[in-house]
Amino acid sequence: MRKFLLIVIAAFFSVSAIFSQTVMLSGKVTDGGNQETLYGVNIIINNTNQLLSDKSQLGTTTDFDGVYKTALYPGTYDIHFVYIGYEEVVKTVELIVGKPVVIDVALVQKAEIIEEVVVSAGKFEQKLSDVTVSMEVIKPTTIENNNSFIMDQALNQVPGVDINDKQPSIRASTGWSYGAGSRVIILMDDLPIMSADAGDVKWNYIPMENISQVEVVKGASSALFGSSALSGVINIRSAYPTSKPVTKVSYFNGVYGNPRDVRQKWWAKEFFSGSNSKLNIPLREEVFYWVRSPMYGGLSFSHSQQFDNLDLSMGGNHFIDEGFKENQYERRSRFNVNLRYRSKKINGLAVGLNSNFMAIDMCDFFMWKSDTNAYLASTTIGASVPTQGYRMNVDPFIYYYSPGGSKFSLRTRYFRTENVMPSDTQKNSIGNTFYGELQYQKVFAEKWNFTAGAVETYSNVDANLFGDHFGNNVSVYSQLDAKLGRLKLSLGLRGEYFVLDSTQTESVADINLGASRIEIPFKPVFRTGANYQVTDHTFLRASFGQGYRFPSIAEKYTATSLGMVNILPNPRLTPESGWSAEVGVKQAYKIGKWRGFADLAIYNQDINDMMEFTFGVFNPVTFLPYVSTDTVAPQIGFQSQNYGDVRITGMDLSASIGGKIRNCIVTTMIGYTYNNPVSKTGTDSTASSLSPTLKYRNKHSIKGDVNFETKRITFGANVIWRSPMQNIDRLFCDERDPETVDPSTYAFYQLFSQMILPGYWDYRIANAKKTYLNVDLRFGFKFSEELRASFLVKNVFNQEYVGRPGDMHAPRRYEIMISANF
C-alpha cells in the first residue's frame, strides 16, 4: 500500500511538471483586403490534447493592434479565428515546450449584404441578419453620393423614417412637435446628443465628414437606451483611423432655382425695391429686373492617422446658406477632434477624448405671409428672430478588454448649448448636460453575451424662455443575448428614475415601515426578441419592447410668443409610456452574380398618454383649452398636451440588390412603408377632419435609390413619394363638411385661420389630396482615384410641397461638388 501511494504521488508530480511548462501562442490578425489590423477578433482554441481529460474550449481576443497572446500547455490544438462579417479561419498547431509559435492570419470579408456589422441593436457587434429588431444602415458612400450635407437629408432617404420640420419620426410615431421632445433618441458614438432644454437634436451639429456608418433601430428601445428611445434609435458612429493616414477635402456649391409658381420668387422683387441687401449683389436694371438666385455652399475636411499607439481623427466644416425664404439664412463653422490612446503596458486598455464644437449665426423661418407669397415671412405670427450661439461636447472615455474576454467601459459627456437672440434677449438660453455611463460586457462560451450598465444624466437650463430648471435621470440596465445554434434570443430590463424640478417618476412600489412609508419611484421597462435562421439565407424574427418618456423642459415650461401666437406652458404634463411589437423576415438571395436581400416587418405600437403639441384656443390664466364660459379673452397658441392613447400599426417592406452589367456596378434599394396611426379614443376635436388618423402623418411612403458606376462615371437617382397628410390642426383648416357644422363655429375657425396664416385654408382644401413626389439626379466623374466631381439636380420636377402648415419646401436646386482624398 505504501509503495502504491508513492507511485501515485510520483506520477502526479511528473504530470504536473510536464504541464507547468506552457508554450506561448501569439500573432496578428489583419483584413485580407486592406491589410488593416482587426480589433476584437475571437480566438477560439479547441483542445485536442490526448493527455488532458478536459476538452473544453479556451480563447482570447485581439487587442487594438490586432495582436493576440495566450499561454497553452503542450499538445495539439485547433485555432479558430472568428470575426463578424469575415470568413472563419481554422489553423491546427502542435505546441512543443521551448518552441513559441506565431500564427498571423488575414481574414477575408464575406460578400453578403446581410453580413453587415451593427452595434446599436444590443450594444455589441453582431451581424445585421442576427438582430431581433428592424434595422437600417446608412454608409458614407450613400451620404457622399447624394451630397447630404446635413444628417436629416440622409435620414429622409431611409424607409420608415421621416423628418418633419427637423423632427425625427420612425413609423409615424411623431407628428409636428415644434422642435421640442423626441420619441427617437439620437446618439453620437453611442452617447445621447439631445439638448438639455428642448430634448431635441440639431442635425447641422452632426460631423458628416467623419462617419463610419449610421444605424437606425426601429421600435421601442428604452430598455437599452432609456427615455426618448420610445420609438427607436439613430446612432451616428464616427470612423477611427487606420495605419494609413487619410485626408479628405470636399467643396460644394448650390443655387436655388425659380419656383414653379413665379409669384413665390421674392428675391428679384426685393432687390428691385432695395429692401433687402442680404446677398450684397449690385442690382442690374433689365427688362425683368433679373438678379441671381440665392446660393449655398460648404467646405469640409477630415484627417485620420495613427501615431504609434495614438489614434487621431479630426475634421471641420464651414457652411453658408443665403436662404430661399425671406430673412432665412445660416452661417456655421464646426470642428471636431477624436483621440484614442492604446496602452503599451496594459494590453486591452484604451483611453480617449472625443470633442465637437459648432458656432452658428442663423435666422429661421416659421410661417409664410400668404399662399402666393409662401417664401415671405408672416407678419401676423411675427418676424423671424436671428439666433447666434454655439454647441459643444467633450467626451472622455476609458475602455478595458481583459484577456478573458470581458469588456469594461466608462463613457462620459459634457454637452453645452448657448443661444443668444440679439433682437430679443428674453429668448436667450444656456443648457448643460452631464452624462456618465459605466458598462460591463462578457461573452460566455461564445454563446452568451451579457451586458449591464448604470447611467446618470444631469441637466440644468438657464433661460428666460423656460425659466431656470434642472433634471436628473438615473437608470440601470442589463441585457442577455444568447446564440443557440440557429436561434438567437435577447432579453433586456431597465429601471428608470426621473426628476424634473419637483416632479419625479411615479412610484410603482412602496414599502410600509410602521407609520412611515418608503416610495420607490422608478419605471421598469422590458424587452425581448428572437431570431431564427430557417435556412442559410432566411431569417425570421420577433420582438417586443416597452418604452417610457419623461417630458422635456421645453414641452412642460416653454412660455413665449410669435406675434399673436403664443407657446404656452403645461405644468400638468405627465410622462408617456407604451410598447411595440413586430414580426419580420429577412431573405437573402443570389441570382448569378447579383446579390441582395428583402425584408418584411409587420408592427404595432401603442403609446399611452401621448404628449403632442396642439394648436388651439386657450385660457391665458389657467392654460387650459378655452371654453365658452371663461370670463377672460381667449389666447391662440401651441401647447404640449397629453393627447390620450394611440395605436400605430403598419408594415415595412424593403429590398436591395447589387451586381454588375459588363463593366458597370449597379446597386439598387427600394422601400415601402404603410402606417395607420389612430387615436384609440375616437376622433380628435382639434383635428381638421373627423378621421381618427393622427395629425401630421402620412400613411404611405416609397423611397428608392439606384446607382450605376463604371471606372470613371457614376450616375444615380433618388426617389421619395408620400401620400397626402390626412390631418392637421383644425384652427389652420376645417375640412369637415360645412353642411354638418355649426355655421358660427365654422366661421370662427375660418376667421382665425385667415388671421394667422392667410391663404392656407384654401391652399389646403385645393391640395389636401395631392401626393408628394421628389426625384433627385446625380452625375459624377472620377478624374483619378484621389479626385472626383459631381453634379446634382434636386427636386428635378420642381414639385411644390407644403409639410407642416405655412412651410413650403425648397424649389429645384442645382449643386456641384468636388472632393479629393489623399
Side-chain angles (χ1 to χ4, degrees):
M1 184 67 178
R2 186 176 180 182
K3 184 182 290 187
F4 175 76
L5 289 175
L6 289 174
I7 293 173
V8 171
I9 292 171
F12 172 78
F13 281 108
S14 297
V15 174
S16 298
I18 292 173
F19 290 106
S20 64
Q21 303 178 61
T22 58
V23 183
M24 181 62 66
L25 173 66
S26 62
K28 179 181 286 189
V29 183
T30 58
D31 184 310
N34 56 25
Q35 285 74 53
E36 301 298 341
T37 57
L38 295 177
Y39 159 68
V41 177
N42 291 310
I43 316 296
I44 304 171
I45 303 169
N46 289 331
N47 178 15
T48 61
N49 196 333
Q50 299 300 316
L51 295 177
L52 293 178
S53 60
D54 181 11
K55 299 298 190 294
S56 62
Q57 289 184 341
L58 305 173
T60 184
T61 58
T62 58
D63 62 17
F64 291 101
D65 297 312
V67 173
Y68 69 95
K69 293 179 181 180
T70 185
L72 300 170
Y73 293 119
T76 303
Y77 297 85
D78 289 335
I79 315 298
H80 298 251
F81 297 85
V82 181
Y83 196 55
I84 295 175
Y86 289 76
E87 299 286 352
E88 181 179 340
V89 172
V90 181
K91 299 285 188 179
T92 300
V93 61
E94 182 178 359
L95 301 182
I96 302 173
V97 174
K99 295 183 178 180
V101 175
V102 176
I103 300 179
D104 295 331
V105 173
L107 299 184
V108 178
Q109 291 189 16
K110 293 182 180 180
E112 286 83 359
I113 298 174
I114 58 175
E115 298 295 332
E116 196 78 62
V117 179
V118 295
V119 173
S120 303
K123 292 202 173 186
F124 69 97
E125 290 189 345
Q126 54 187 317
K127 293 186 293 186
L128 183 60
S129 58
D130 287 345
V131 300
T132 60
V133 294
S134 290
M135 281 195 69
E136 301 282 352
V137 177
I138 308 175
K139 286 296 188 179
T141 51
T142 302
I143 296 173
E144 294 169 7
N145 286 343
N146 291 287
N147 191 30
S148 301
F149 49 87
I150 302 178
M151 181 53 70
D152 60 340
Q153 297 177 351
L155 290 169
N156 251 330
Q157 300 165 17
V158 177
V161 179
D162 293 295
I163 313 294
N164 186 10
D165 196 23
K166 303 176 184 178
Q167 189 81 20
S169 176
I170 293 179
R171 293 174 170 173
S173 61
T174 302
W176 176 35
S177 294
Y178 192 57
S182 177
R183 294 185 187 94
V184 179
I185 192 168
I186 314 300
L187 308 175
M188 197 163 71
D189 292 323
D190 303 318
L191 304 181
I193 200 67
M194 320 291 280
S195 64
D197 47 11
D200 70 337
V201 62
K202 292 295 184 284
W203 300 110
N204 52 17
Y205 185 64
I206 305 298
M208 304 291 289
E209 60 275 3
N210 186 37
I211 290 176
S212 64
Q213 66 184 31
V214 181
E215 300 174 359
V216 180
V217 181
K218 303 175 185 179
S221 304
S222 292
L224 269 184
F225 297 97
S227 184
S228 296
L230 186 69
S231 298
V233 177
I234 297 173
N235 187 11
I236 298 98
R237 298 174 58 192
S238 298
Y240 275 105
T242 59
S243 58
K244 180 182 177 181
V246 177
T247 301
K248 299 180 181 180
V249 179
S250 68
Y251 169 79
F252 80 93
N253 194 77
V255 59
Y256 295 104
N258 292 331
R260 169 172 289 199
D261 185 345
V262 294
R263 295 175 298 178
Q264 312 294 0
K265 185 181 176 182
W266 60 271
W267 42 88
K269 300 175 185 177
E270 287 273 336
F271 276 103
F272 178 64
S273 65
S275 62
N276 192 323
S277 60
K278 179 176 59 178
L279 302 184
N280 194 26
I281 305 168
L283 179 65
R284 300 198 307 169
E285 294 193 11
E286 298 181 0
V287 176
F288 299 104
Y289 304 104
W290 178 87
V291 294
R292 74 160 172 83
S293 299
M295 301 180 71
Y296 56 97
L299 176 66
S300 299
F301 82 94
S302 67
H303 177 76
S304 63
Q305 187 172 356
Q306 290 183 345
F307 299 91
D308 196 9
N309 278 40
L310 178 65
D311 298 338
L312 167 67
S313 297
M314 58 188 297
N317 170 264
H318 182 67
F319 176 78
I320 297 177
D321 184 1
E322 296 172 338
F324 63 95
K325 297 176 182 176
E326 181 190 30
N327 296 326
Q328 182 189 49
Y329 62 87
E330 180 178 350
R331 295 183 286 268
R332 69 170 186 270
S333 296
R334 188 183 62 241
F335 182 75
N336 62 86
V337 176
N338 295 348
L339 296 169
R340 182 178 67 181
Y341 177 75
R342 294 165 282 118
S343 175
K344 293 182 179 180
K345 296 182 178 180
I346 305 176
N347 288 334
L349 176 66
V351 297
L353 180 75
N354 298 341
S355 62
N356 192 22
F357 175 86
M358 181 180 74
I360 190 166
D361 178 11
M362 63 177 293
C363 189
D364 213 347
F365 183 96
F366 187 47
M367 288 185 176
W368 71 28
K369 184 176 182 180
S370 70
D371 60 324
T372 56
N373 291 281
Y375 295 150
L376 296 181
S378 169
T379 55
T380 306
I381 298 297
S384 302
V385 180
T387 304
Q388 300 171 1
Y390 69 88
R391 292 189 167 217
M392 62 165 287
N393 66 276
V394 180
D395 310 340
F397 64 85
I398 301 175
Y399 292 141
Y400 175 66
Y401 289 80
S402 71
S406 296
K407 173 186 174 183
F408 302 86
S409 65
L410 175 62
R411 297 176 295 180
T412 63
R413 168 167 286 170
Y414 170 60
F415 183 38
R416 181 179 175 90
T417 63
E418 181 168 341
N419 297 313
V420 178
M421 301 185 181
S423 61
D424 188 356
T425 57
Q426 292 300 308
K427 293 184 172 66
N428 292 354
S429 67
I430 298 175
N432 298 286
T433 299
F434 302 86
Y435 178 92
E437 179 177 1
L438 182 64
Q439 186 184 103
Y440 168 76
Q441 283 191 0
K442 174 68 174 178
V443 179
F444 300 94
E446 298 302 321
K447 295 180 180 180
W448 307 86
N449 192 99
F450 176 71
T451 304
V455 180
E456 180 171 11
T457 306
Y458 175 83
S459 302
N460 62 62
V461 174
D462 179 9
N464 295 323
L465 191 66
F466 313 113
D468 297 342
H469 302 279
F470 80 92
N472 197 22
N473 171 215
V474 179
S475 58
V476 292
Y477 65 87
S478 64
Q479 179 159 309
L480 181 65
D481 293 88
K483 192 172 184 179
L484 308 174
R486 290 179 174 267
L487 178 65
K488 291 88 179 178
L489 298 174
S490 180
L491 183 68
L493 182 66
R494 189 184 190 99
E496 296 255 34
Y497 166 75
F498 280 91
V499 59
L500 179 55
D501 294 342
S502 59
T503 305
Q504 68 176 10
T505 305
E506 184 179 348
S507 178
V508 296
D510 297 338
I511 300 176
N512 293 319
L513 298 175
S516 302
R517 187 181 68 173
I518 300 177
E519 295 186 352
I520 306 177
F522 78 98
K523 177 71 174 179
V525 290
F526 165 83
R527 76 165 300 271
T528 185
N531 182 305
Y532 183 72
Q533 185 176 358
V534 181
T535 68
D536 289 344
H537 302 292
T538 305
F539 302 83
L540 295 177
R541 66 180 183 274
S543 64
F544 171 87
Q546 295 176 315
Y548 177 70
R549 188 171 79 87
F550 212 73
S552 67
I553 291 173
E555 287 175 296
K556 198 161 187 174
Y557 296 114
T558 299
T560 187
S561 63
L562 294 168
M564 64 177 293
V565 175
N566 302 278
I567 302 175
L568 305 174
N570 186 1
R572 298 171 300 277
L573 196 64
T574 59
E576 62 185 15
S577 61
W579 60 270
S580 70
E582 75 163 44
V583 292
V585 57
K586 188 181 292 289
Q587 176 67 56
Y589 46 81
K590 181 180 178 181
I591 306 172
K593 295 184 178 180
W594 292 71
R595 298 172 184 251
F597 72 89
D599 190 282
L600 171 66
I602 299 173
Y603 52 84
N604 180 94
Q605 181 175 23
D606 277 25
I607 303 176
N608 302 320
D609 297 322
M610 184 183 71
M611 293 180 280
E612 190 99 320
F613 266 91
T614 298
F615 188 53
V617 182
F618 299 89
N619 185 315
V621 178
T622 64
F623 301 124
L624 292 170
Y626 193 84
V627 295
S628 57
T629 57
D630 288 342
T631 58
V632 294
Q635 191 174 69
I636 300 173
F638 291 91
Q639 185 188 68
S640 185
Q641 299 179 343
N642 288 111
Y643 175 91
D645 299 343
V646 305
R647 171 164 292 167
I648 304 169
T649 56
M651 176 185 71
D652 264 341
L653 176 61
S654 60
S656 178
I657 190 169
K660 291 186 70 174
I661 302 176
R662 293 188 177 180
N663 294 323
C664 181
I665 300 174
V666 182
T667 55
T668 63
M669 181 280 295
I670 188 169
Y672 166 72
T673 303
Y674 166 75
N675 289 304
N676 186 33
V678 297
S679 169
K680 293 171 67 175
T681 57
T683 58
D684 179 6
S685 61
T686 68
S688 59
S689 74
L690 296 175
S691 167
T693 302
L694 301 182
K695 294 177 289 190
Y696 305 108
R697 271 88 164 176
N698 306 92
K699 280 197 169 186
H700 306 272
S701 67
I702 298 175
K703 300 182 180 182
D705 189 276
V706 59
N707 192 71
F708 302 88
E709 182 175 355
T710 65
K711 184 177 180 180
R712 294 286 185 185
I713 296 174
T714 61
F715 175 78
N718 184 273
V719 178
I720 299 177
W721 176 88
R722 295 191 185 100
S723 63
M725 187 177 289
Q726 289 194 312
N727 254 336
I728 61 170
D729 281 296
R730 178 160 290 165
L731 268 183
F732 291 123
C733 180
D734 192 338
E735 299 178 85
R736 297 174 296 178
D737 185 351
E739 300 293 331
T740 64
V741 183
D742 184 336
S744 60
T745 303
Y746 192 83
F748 169 81
Y749 283 121
Q750 200 167 31
L751 173 63
F752 272 106
S753 175
Q754 185 62 26
M755 292 173 58
I756 297 166
L757 204 53
Y760 182 76
W761 184 296
D762 293 334
Y763 186 91
R764 167 75 183 174
I765 296 296
N767 296 277
K769 302 301 181 183
K770 291 184 179 180
T771 60
Y772 165 70
L773 175 65
N774 183 85
V775 178
D776 299 339
L777 296 178
R778 57 184 182 268
F779 173 82
F781 184 81
K782 185 184 293 185
F783 297 96
S784 66
E785 291 298 323
E786 294 78 24
L787 182 65
R788 70 168 188 160
S790 300
F791 176 70
L792 302 95
V793 182
K794 297 185 175 179
N795 191 5
V796 171
F797 299 116
N798 208 14
Q799 293 292 298
E800 191 174 276
Y801 176 66
V802 176
R804 53 92 171 164
D807 181 33
M808 184 173 287
H809 288 202
R812 183 187 295 123
R813 286 98 68 206
Y814 307 90
E815 299 175 1
I816 186 169
M817 178 179 67
I818 301 174
S819 59
N821 299 335
F822 306 98

